[in-house]
Amino acid sequence: MERKITLFLSLFLFVSFLLPATFAEAQLPSYAKWGKTAIEETTKKYPDQQVTDYRYDGKVFISDVREQYNFEFTMKTENGTSREIRAYVLVNPKTEQLINVLYDEIEEF
């Protein structure tokens, strides 16, 4: 009986050490919600192109009611050409509401 209790306690301690690490790895980054929005809005704006690469370029604090999340996408057309698009997602951090999504097409030199 004592052996079963020791085994149970050992197993319990082992699992309890693993849970916090597993939980921390499962959390999404703070920009993930707005990255998803950026992808959705970009594919609406450029329906004939596919997002092939995605990069988060940081957040800009504008005011108490406006923040900007910056993303850069590589878009590929049906004929195989690709180009870079920057998407700026403006949000109200107090209400978590989308304000606007703006775009810059990056020209290569």
mmCIF file of all heavy atoms in Angstrom, residues 25-60:
data_model
loop_
_atom_site.group_PDB
_atom_site.id
_atom_site.type_symbol
_atom_site.label_atom_id
_atom_site.label_comp_id
_atom_site.label_asym_id
_atom_site.label_seq_id
_atom_site.Cartn_x
_atom_site.Cartn_y
_atom_site.Cartn_z
ATOM 1 N N GLU A 25 3.424 27.119 -23.306
ATOM 2 C CA GLU A 25 3.688 26.918 -24.723
ATOM 3 C C GLU A 25 2.412 27.029 -25.559
ATOM 4 O O GLU A 25 2.459 27.401 -26.711
ATOM 5 C CB GLU A 25 4.324 25.545 -24.949
ATOM 6 C CG GLU A 25 5.723 25.452 -24.420
ATOM 7 C CD GLU A 25 6.284 24.044 -24.526
ATOM 8 O OE1 GLU A 25 5.610 23.171 -25.091
ATOM 9 O OE2 GLU A 25 7.389 23.829 -24.035
ATOM 10 N N ALA A 26 1.273 26.733 -24.957
ATOM 11 C CA ALA A 26 0.018 26.727 -25.700
ATOM 12 C C ALA A 26 -0.568 28.126 -25.884
ATOM 13 O O ALA A 26 -1.449 28.303 -26.698
ATOM 14 C CB ALA A 26 -0.997 25.839 -24.993
ATOM 15 N N GLN A 27 -0.107 29.119 -25.138
ATOM 16 C CA GLN A 27 -0.654 30.458 -25.249
ATOM 17 C C GLN A 27 -0.218 31.108 -26.556
ATOM 18 O O GLN A 27 0.918 30.980 -26.974
ATOM 19 C CB GLN A 27 -0.203 31.323 -24.077
ATOM 20 C CG GLN A 27 -0.823 30.912 -22.767
ATOM 21 C CD GLN A 27 -0.353 31.799 -21.625
ATOM 22 O OE1 GLN A 27 0.684 32.422 -21.699
ATOM 23 N NE2 GLN A 27 -1.127 31.830 -20.578
ATOM 24 N N LEU A 28 -1.136 31.831 -27.174
ATOM 25 C CA LEU A 28 -0.849 32.530 -28.417
ATOM 26 C C LEU A 28 -0.224 33.877 -28.125
ATOM 27 O O LEU A 28 -0.507 34.484 -27.094
ATOM 28 C CB LEU A 28 -2.139 32.731 -29.206
ATOM 29 C CG LEU A 28 -2.812 31.476 -29.727
ATOM 30 C CD1 LEU A 28 -4.142 31.827 -30.374
ATOM 31 C CD2 LEU A 28 -1.918 30.760 -30.706
ATOM 32 N N PRO A 29 0.603 34.385 -29.031
ATOM 33 C CA PRO A 29 1.161 35.727 -28.827
ATOM 34 C C PRO A 29 0.050 36.777 -28.887
ATOM 35 O O PRO A 29 -1.011 36.554 -29.483
ATOM 36 C CB PRO A 29 2.143 35.898 -29.982
ATOM 37 C CG PRO A 29 1.848 34.820 -30.944
ATOM 38 C CD PRO A 29 1.088 33.750 -30.235
ATOM 39 N N SER A 30 0.309 37.935 -28.301
ATOM 40 C CA SER A 30 -0.721 38.976 -28.192
ATOM 41 C C SER A 30 -1.184 39.489 -29.550
ATOM 42 O O SER A 30 -2.308 39.949 -29.694
ATOM 43 C CB SER A 30 -0.194 40.139 -27.359
ATOM 44 O OG SER A 30 0.942 40.706 -27.972
ATOM 45 N N TYR A 31 -0.358 39.401 -30.566
ATOM 46 C CA TYR A 31 -0.715 39.916 -31.891
ATOM 47 C C TYR A 31 -1.452 38.892 -32.755
ATOM 48 O O TYR A 31 -1.892 39.205 -33.857
ATOM 49 C CB TYR A 31 0.533 40.390 -32.642
ATOM 50 C CG TYR A 31 1.543 39.294 -32.891
ATOM 51 C CD1 TYR A 31 1.436 38.475 -34.001
ATOM 52 C CD2 TYR A 31 2.601 39.085 -32.024
ATOM 53 C CE1 TYR A 31 2.342 37.460 -34.240
ATOM 54 C CE2 TYR A 31 3.534 38.085 -32.268
ATOM 55 C CZ TYR A 31 3.397 37.278 -33.361
ATOM 56 O OH TYR A 31 4.302 36.286 -33.594
ATOM 57 N N ALA A 32 -1.628 37.672 -32.280
ATOM 58 C CA ALA A 32 -2.200 36.594 -33.105
ATOM 59 C C ALA A 32 -3.596 36.930 -33.617
ATOM 60 O O ALA A 32 -3.910 36.677 -34.784
ATOM 61 C CB ALA A 32 -2.212 35.287 -32.326
ATOM 62 N N LYS A 33 -4.431 37.512 -32.755
ATOM 63 C CA LYS A 33 -5.799 37.864 -33.167
ATOM 64 C C LYS A 33 -5.762 38.843 -34.335
ATOM 65 O O LYS A 33 -6.487 38.699 -35.314
ATOM 66 C CB LYS A 33 -6.541 38.486 -31.989
ATOM 67 C CG LYS A 33 -7.904 39.030 -32.327
ATOM 68 C CD LYS A 33 -8.549 39.683 -31.109
ATOM 69 C CE LYS A 33 -9.891 40.272 -31.453
ATOM 70 N NZ LYS A 33 -10.529 40.894 -30.282
ATOM 71 N N TRP A 34 -4.882 39.832 -34.253
ATOM 72 C CA TRP A 34 -4.820 40.858 -35.291
ATOM 73 C C TRP A 34 -4.082 40.354 -36.521
ATOM 74 O O TRP A 34 -4.336 40.808 -37.629
ATOM 75 C CB TRP A 34 -4.227 42.144 -34.726
ATOM 76 C CG TRP A 34 -5.051 42.593 -33.564
ATOM 77 C CD1 TRP A 34 -4.663 42.693 -32.253
ATOM 78 C CD2 TRP A 34 -6.441 42.945 -33.584
ATOM 79 N NE1 TRP A 34 -5.720 43.092 -31.473
ATOM 80 C CE2 TRP A 34 -6.824 43.256 -32.263
ATOM 81 C CE3 TRP A 34 -7.396 43.031 -34.589
ATOM 82 C CZ2 TRP A 34 -8.117 43.658 -31.921
ATOM 83 C CZ3 TRP A 34 -8.691 43.424 -34.246
ATOM 84 C CH2 TRP A 34 -9.033 43.731 -32.938
ATOM 85 N N GLY A 35 -3.200 39.386 -36.353
ATOM 86 C CA GLY A 35 -2.569 38.755 -37.508
ATOM 87 C C GLY A 35 -3.577 37.988 -38.333
ATOM 88 O O GLY A 35 -3.564 38.027 -39.567
ATOM 89 N N LYS A 36 -4.479 37.300 -37.653
ATOM 90 C CA LYS A 36 -5.549 36.578 -38.352
ATOM 91 C C LYS A 36 -6.430 37.565 -39.115
ATOM 92 O O LYS A 36 -6.786 37.338 -40.264
ATOM 93 C CB LYS A 36 -6.375 35.784 -37.343
ATOM 94 C CG LYS A 36 -7.481 34.993 -37.969
ATOM 95 C CD LYS A 36 -8.270 34.214 -36.936
ATOM 96 C CE LYS A 36 -9.422 33.505 -37.625
ATOM 97 N NZ LYS A 36 -10.369 32.947 -36.697
ATOM 98 N N THR A 37 -6.762 38.686 -38.455
ATOM 99 C CA THR A 37 -7.566 39.724 -39.114
ATOM 100 C C THR A 37 -6.832 40.275 -40.322
ATOM 101 O O THR A 37 -7.429 40.482 -41.384
ATOM 102 C CB THR A 37 -7.885 40.866 -38.119
ATOM 103 O OG1 THR A 37 -8.620 40.319 -37.020
ATOM 104 C CG2 THR A 37 -8.680 41.965 -38.775
ATOM 105 N N ALA A 38 -5.532 40.516 -40.180
ATOM 106 C CA ALA A 38 -4.735 41.048 -41.293
ATOM 107 C C ALA A 38 -4.751 40.094 -42.483
ATOM 108 O O ALA A 38 -4.908 40.519 -43.633
ATOM 109 C CB ALA A 38 -3.300 41.311 -40.836
ATOM 110 N N ILE A 39 -4.611 38.811 -42.224
ATOM 111 C CA ILE A 39 -4.633 37.822 -43.310
ATOM 112 C C ILE A 39 -6.009 37.796 -43.979
ATOM 113 O O ILE A 39 -6.114 37.806 -45.208
ATOM 114 C CB ILE A 39 -4.254 36.423 -42.794
ATOM 115 C CG1 ILE A 39 -2.770 36.392 -42.436
ATOM 116 C CG2 ILE A 39 -4.565 35.348 -43.834
ATOM 117 C CD1 ILE A 39 -2.326 35.122 -41.743
ATOM 118 N N GLU A 40 -7.058 37.777 -43.180
ATOM 119 C CA GLU A 40 -8.421 37.737 -43.735
ATOM 120 C C GLU A 40 -8.706 38.960 -44.611
ATOM 121 O O GLU A 40 -9.227 38.844 -45.724
ATOM 122 C CB GLU A 40 -9.451 37.654 -42.610
ATOM 123 C CG GLU A 40 -9.471 36.326 -41.901
ATOM 124 C CD GLU A 40 -10.319 36.335 -40.636
ATOM 125 O OE1 GLU A 40 -10.806 37.412 -40.220
ATOM 126 O OE2 GLU A 40 -10.477 35.251 -40.048
ATOM 127 N N GLU A 41 -8.356 40.146 -44.115
ATOM 128 C CA GLU A 41 -8.622 41.377 -44.853
ATOM 129 C C GLU A 41 -7.733 41.489 -46.093
ATOM 130 O O GLU A 41 -8.165 41.987 -47.135
ATOM 131 C CB GLU A 41 -8.438 42.595 -43.947
ATOM 132 C CG GLU A 41 -9.441 42.664 -42.807
ATOM 133 C CD GLU A 41 -10.883 42.757 -43.284
ATOM 134 O OE1 GLU A 41 -11.167 43.547 -44.213
ATOM 135 O OE2 GLU A 41 -11.736 42.039 -42.725
ATOM 136 N N THR A 42 -6.504 41.025 -45.994
ATOM 137 C CA THR A 42 -5.591 41.074 -47.138
ATOM 138 C C THR A 42 -6.059 40.143 -48.246
ATOM 139 O O THR A 42 -6.011 40.502 -49.425
ATOM 140 C CB THR A 42 -4.153 40.723 -46.702
ATOM 141 O OG1 THR A 42 -3.748 41.650 -45.685
ATOM 142 C CG2 THR A 42 -3.176 40.808 -47.861
ATOM 143 N N THR A 43 -6.537 38.967 -47.888
ATOM 144 C CA THR A 43 -7.031 38.047 -48.924
ATOM 145 C C THR A 43 -8.324 38.562 -49.557
ATOM 146 O O THR A 43 -8.610 38.244 -50.713
ATOM 147 C CB THR A 43 -7.231 36.619 -48.380
ATOM 148 O OG1 THR A 43 -8.072 36.659 -47.240
ATOM 149 C CG2 THR A 43 -5.903 35.992 -48.006
ATOM 150 N N LYS A 44 -9.093 39.375 -48.833
ATOM 151 C CA LYS A 44 -10.272 40.016 -49.435
ATOM 152 C C LYS A 44 -9.840 41.108 -50.420
ATOM 153 O O LYS A 44 -10.424 41.252 -51.486
ATOM 154 C CB LYS A 44 -11.161 40.649 -48.357
ATOM 155 C CG LYS A 44 -11.942 39.677 -47.537
ATOM 156 C CD LYS A 44 -12.758 40.433 -46.496
ATOM 157 C CE LYS A 44 -13.352 39.518 -45.466
ATOM 158 N NZ LYS A 44 -14.031 40.272 -44.396
ATOM 159 N N LYS A 45 -8.831 41.882 -50.037
ATOM 160 C CA LYS A 45 -8.367 42.982 -50.888
ATOM 161 C C LYS A 45 -7.649 42.456 -52.132
ATOM 162 O O LYS A 45 -7.731 43.045 -53.197
ATOM 163 C CB LYS A 45 -7.443 43.907 -50.112
ATOM 164 C CG LYS A 45 -6.954 45.093 -50.934
ATOM 165 C CD LYS A 45 -6.305 46.134 -50.071
ATOM 166 C CE LYS A 45 -5.735 47.270 -50.870
ATOM 167 N NZ LYS A 45 -6.734 48.101 -51.524
ATOM 168 N N TYR A 46 -6.932 41.360 -52.006
ATOM 169 C CA TYR A 46 -6.174 40.770 -53.120
ATOM 170 C C TYR A 46 -6.675 39.338 -53.362
ATOM 171 O O TYR A 46 -5.968 38.369 -53.097
ATOM 172 C CB TYR A 46 -4.674 40.764 -52.796
ATOM 173 C CG TYR A 46 -4.109 42.131 -52.517
ATOM 174 C CD1 TYR A 46 -3.981 42.612 -51.217
ATOM 175 C CD2 TYR A 46 -3.696 42.950 -53.563
ATOM 176 C CE1 TYR A 46 -3.453 43.876 -50.967
ATOM 177 C CE2 TYR A 46 -3.165 44.210 -53.321
ATOM 178 C CZ TYR A 46 -3.049 44.666 -52.013
ATOM 179 O OH TYR A 46 -2.532 45.918 -51.770
ATOM 180 N N PRO A 47 -7.890 39.172 -53.873
ATOM 181 C CA PRO A 47 -8.470 37.829 -53.997
ATOM 182 C C PRO A 47 -7.766 36.938 -55.019
ATOM 183 O O PRO A 47 -7.874 35.714 -54.932
ATOM 184 C CB PRO A 47 -9.916 38.102 -54.405
ATOM 185 C CG PRO A 47 -9.890 39.442 -55.044
ATOM 186 C CD PRO A 47 -8.799 40.207 -54.344
ATOM 187 N N ASP A 48 -7.052 37.522 -55.953
ATOM 188 C CA ASP A 48 -6.378 36.720 -56.976
ATOM 189 C C ASP A 48 -4.964 36.323 -56.554
ATOM 190 O O ASP A 48 -4.217 35.754 -57.346
ATOM 191 C CB ASP A 48 -6.322 37.494 -58.302
ATOM 192 C CG ASP A 48 -5.574 38.813 -58.175
ATOM 193 O OD1 ASP A 48 -5.577 39.405 -57.071
ATOM 194 O OD2 ASP A 48 -4.983 39.253 -59.170
ATOM 195 N N GLN A 49 -4.608 36.596 -55.295
ATOM 196 C CA GLN A 49 -3.275 36.276 -54.800
ATOM 197 C C GLN A 49 -3.370 35.470 -53.515
ATOM 198 O O GLN A 49 -4.358 35.547 -52.794
ATOM 199 C CB GLN A 49 -2.489 37.563 -54.550
ATOM 200 C CG GLN A 49 -2.306 38.375 -55.818
ATOM 201 C CD GLN A 49 -1.603 39.679 -55.553
ATOM 202 O OE1 GLN A 49 -0.738 39.759 -54.702
ATOM 203 N NE2 GLN A 49 -1.989 40.707 -56.282
ATOM 204 N N GLN A 50 -2.325 34.713 -53.243
ATOM 205 C CA GLN A 50 -2.293 33.855 -52.065
ATOM 206 C C GLN A 50 -1.164 34.306 -51.143
ATOM 207 O O GLN A 50 -0.061 34.604 -51.603
ATOM 208 C CB GLN A 50 -2.070 32.408 -52.498
ATOM 209 C CG GLN A 50 -2.050 31.429 -51.363
ATOM 210 C CD GLN A 50 -1.833 30.016 -51.856
ATOM 211 O OE1 GLN A 50 -1.601 29.774 -53.040
ATOM 212 N NE2 GLN A 50 -1.893 29.077 -50.950
ATOM 213 N N VAL A 51 -1.439 34.346 -49.838
ATOM 214 C CA VAL A 51 -0.400 34.671 -48.858
ATOM 215 C C VAL A 51 0.508 33.456 -48.729
ATOM 216 O O VAL A 51 0.055 32.360 -48.411
ATOM 217 C CB VAL A 51 -1.024 35.019 -47.485
ATOM 218 C CG1 VAL A 51 0.062 35.220 -46.441
ATOM 219 C CG2 VAL A 51 -1.903 36.245 -47.589
ATOM 220 N N THR A 52 1.811 33.650 -49.024
ATOM 221 C CA THR A 52 2.759 32.547 -48.923
ATOM 222 C C THR A 52 3.738 32.720 -47.774
ATOM 223 O O THR A 52 4.408 31.772 -47.392
ATOM 224 C CB THR A 52 3.551 32.376 -50.237
ATOM 225 O OG1 THR A 52 4.256 33.583 -50.508
ATOM 226 C CG2 THR A 52 2.623 32.023 -51.376
ATOM 227 N N ASP A 53 3.840 33.941 -47.234
ATOM 228 C CA ASP A 53 4.724 34.177 -46.099
ATOM 229 C C ASP A 53 4.128 35.301 -45.266
ATOM 230 O O ASP A 53 3.468 36.193 -45.792
ATOM 231 C CB ASP A 53 6.125 34.542 -46.582
ATOM 232 C CG ASP A 53 7.175 34.443 -45.485
ATOM 233 O OD1 ASP A 53 6.921 33.763 -44.473
ATOM 234 O OD2 ASP A 53 8.246 35.050 -45.639
ATOM 235 N N TYR A 54 4.411 35.288 -43.973
ATOM 236 C CA TYR A 54 3.793 36.198 -43.024
ATOM 237 C C TYR A 54 4.829 36.579 -41.982
ATOM 238 O O TYR A 54 5.554 35.720 -41.495
ATOM 239 C CB TYR A 54 2.628 35.437 -42.397
ATOM 240 C CG TYR A 54 2.070 35.960 -41.099
ATOM 241 C CD1 TYR A 54 0.964 36.780 -41.082
ATOM 242 C CD2 TYR A 54 2.628 35.585 -39.885
ATOM 243 C CE1 TYR A 54 0.421 37.220 -39.891
ATOM 244 C CE2 TYR A 54 2.096 36.030 -38.685
ATOM 245 C CZ TYR A 54 0.991 36.832 -38.699
ATOM 246 O OH TYR A 54 0.460 37.281 -37.518
ATOM 247 N N ARG A 55 4.909 37.871 -41.677
ATOM 248 C CA ARG A 55 5.838 38.309 -40.635
ATOM 249 C C ARG A 55 5.196 39.424 -39.816
ATOM 250 O O ARG A 55 4.632 40.369 -40.372
ATOM 251 C CB ARG A 55 7.134 38.808 -41.251
ATOM 252 C CG ARG A 55 8.189 39.138 -40.187
ATOM 253 C CD ARG A 55 9.478 39.562 -40.796
ATOM 254 N NE ARG A 55 9.313 40.957 -41.201
ATOM 255 C CZ ARG A 55 10.066 41.556 -42.097
ATOM 256 N NH1 ARG A 55 11.002 40.887 -42.720
ATOM 257 N NH2 ARG A 55 9.872 42.810 -42.402
ATOM 258 N N TYR A 56 5.301 39.304 -38.516
ATOM 259 C CA TYR A 56 4.840 40.345 -37.604
ATOM 260 C C TYR A 56 5.979 41.341 -37.428
ATOM 261 O O TYR A 56 7.099 40.964 -37.118
ATOM 262 C CB TYR A 56 4.450 39.715 -36.266
ATOM 263 C CG TYR A 56 4.143 40.706 -35.166
ATOM 264 C CD1 TYR A 56 3.077 41.584 -35.276
ATOM 265 C CD2 TYR A 56 4.912 40.746 -34.011
ATOM 266 C CE1 TYR A 56 2.784 42.485 -34.261
ATOM 267 C CE2 TYR A 56 4.621 41.637 -32.997
ATOM 268 C CZ TYR A 56 3.567 42.504 -33.130
ATOM 269 O OH TYR A 56 3.282 43.391 -32.125
ATOM 270 N N ASP A 57 5.689 42.633 -37.634
ATOM 271 C CA ASP A 57 6.718 43.669 -37.550
ATOM 272 C C ASP A 57 6.552 44.599 -36.359
ATOM 273 O O ASP A 57 7.114 45.688 -36.346
ATOM 274 C CB ASP A 57 6.734 44.511 -38.835
ATOM 275 C CG ASP A 57 7.411 43.798 -39.978
ATOM 276 O OD1 ASP A 57 8.231 42.896 -39.725
ATOM 277 O OD2 ASP A 57 7.126 44.145 -41.138
ATOM 278 N N GLY A 58 5.764 44.220 -35.378
ATOM 279 C CA GLY A 58 5.664 44.997 -34.157
ATOM 280 C C GLY A 58 4.387 45.801 -34.027
ATOM 281 O O GLY A 58 3.574 45.886 -34.936
ATOM 282 N N LYS A 59 4.273 46.430 -32.862
ATOM 283 C CA LYS A 59 3.087 47.211 -32.515
ATOM 284 C C LYS A 59 3.520 48.642 -32.226
ATOM 285 O O LYS A 59 4.564 48.873 -31.616
ATOM 286 C CB LYS A 59 2.408 46.608 -31.291
ATOM 287 C CG LYS A 59 1.197 47.379 -30.811
ATOM 288 C CD LYS A 59 0.455 46.654 -29.712
ATOM 289 C CE LYS A 59 1.188 46.719 -28.409
ATOM 290 N NZ LYS A 59 0.388 46.231 -27.281
ATOM 291 N N VAL A 60 2.703 49.595 -32.672
ATOM 292 C CA VAL A 60 2.977 51.013 -32.443
ATOM 293 C C VAL A 60 1.856 51.578 -31.579
ATOM 294 O O VAL A 60 0.677 51.450 -31.933
ATOM 295 C CB VAL A 60 3.059 51.790 -33.780
ATOM 296 C CG1 VAL A 60 3.283 53.268 -33.525
ATOM 297 C CG2 VAL A 60 4.148 51.218 -34.666
#
